[in-house]
Amino acid sequence: MSDPAKEQLDEAAVEEEEEERVQEDPLAAAEARAEEHLTDLKRLAADFENYKKRTAREQAALSFRATERLVKELLPIVDDLERALGAAEHHEEAELEEGVRLVHRQLASVLEREGLAEIEADGKFDPHVHEALLSQPSEAEAGSVIEVLQKGYRLGDRVLRPARVVVAAPKEANGDDA
């Protein structure tokens, strides 16, 4: 016998049993159906609650990715403005410097409101937030950051761009004793 035919026979048998139960005790049958409906409603309510939570998580992740994309696009502008400020200090055009400083402050303020924070590069080298470009012998403790070549930034807990730094290497022995 094929599966669809077997299923129809099974369904017919279940319906006959249910009709016999209804004829025997209509109240018990009604309570059983009500209990079945209540279980279905509880399952549906739980599914809906899970759907709401999942949707909220997805919305938060989407919002974070959009902010991240914006901040990544603005970082080169901040870098260019900082270079311009450095160059303008050596010239007598105070108005240019003042204007660039104003733009830089405004842009930095916007980025800070979006959750951008500069990575501290003082102290010990941390490979999670720093990118070592050079290692130079220095008086400083070996493994410490001695110079920042490019600032690093975080967006929330996430490193958006590591700080590019020069790291102190152990001081070399010159052989001056001879």
Side-chain angles (χ1 to χ4, degrees):
M1 204 183 285
S2 68
D3 286 342
K6 188 175 182 181
E7 287 178 11
Q8 286 178 346
L9 286 177
D10 289 343
E11 288 176 9
V14 169
E15 287 177 13
E16 287 177 9
E17 288 176 14
E18 204 172 284
E19 284 178 23
E20 289 175 12
R21 243 186 311 138
V22 169
Q23 291 172 356
E24 292 175 8
D25 189 3
L27 182 58
E31 287 176 349
R33 281 196 311 273
E35 189 67 31
E36 199 175 333
H37 290 305
L38 183 60
T39 303
D40 289 345
L41 283 174
K42 286 179 181 178
R43 188 175 300 119
L44 184 62
D47 287 346
F48 183 69
E49 193 63 36
N50 290 338
Y51 166 77
K52 286 190 332 185
K53 289 176 184 176
R54 185 179 66 246
T55 303
R57 281 192 309 269
E58 289 171 354
Q59 184 66 30
L62 180 64
S63 175
F64 182 82
R65 283 194 306 270
T67 301
E68 181 180 27
R69 183 193 52 75
L70 169 68
V71 169
K72 275 185 177 180
E73 290 178 18
L74 292 175
L75 282 176
I77 297 168
V78 171
D79 293 338
D80 290 343
L81 283 172
E82 287 176 351
R83 281 191 281 279
L85 284 172
E89 287 177 359
H90 303 296
H91 294 71
E92 294 181 6
E93 297 171 300
E95 288 182 43
L96 170 67
E97 183 180 348
E98 175 95 17
V100 173
R101 279 194 196 286
L102 178 64
V103 171
H104 180 260
R105 267 195 309 262
Q106 289 174 334
L107 186 56
S109 173
V110 166
L111 292 172
E112 191 176 301
R113 281 194 305 269
E114 288 295 325
L116 186 72
E118 189 176 319
I119 292 174
E120 292 298 320
D122 298 335
K124 200 83 170 141
F125 174 77
D126 181 357
H128 299 292
V129 295
H130 300 131
E131 181 180 341
L133 297 180
L134 295 170
S135 178
Q136 292 180 345
S138 172
E139 296 292 325
E141 180 185 342
S144 63
V145 175
I146 55 175
E147 185 181 351
V148 177
L149 300 175
Q150 185 178 41
K151 292 179 182 179
Y153 295 93
R154 290 179 195 267
L155 186 60
D157 295 342
R158 195 168 174 188
V159 174
L160 197 57
R161 181 176 79 187
R164 294 185 173 154
V165 298
V166 177
V167 179
K171 193 171 184 181
E172 293 180 3
N174 298 2
D176 291 338
D177 297 338

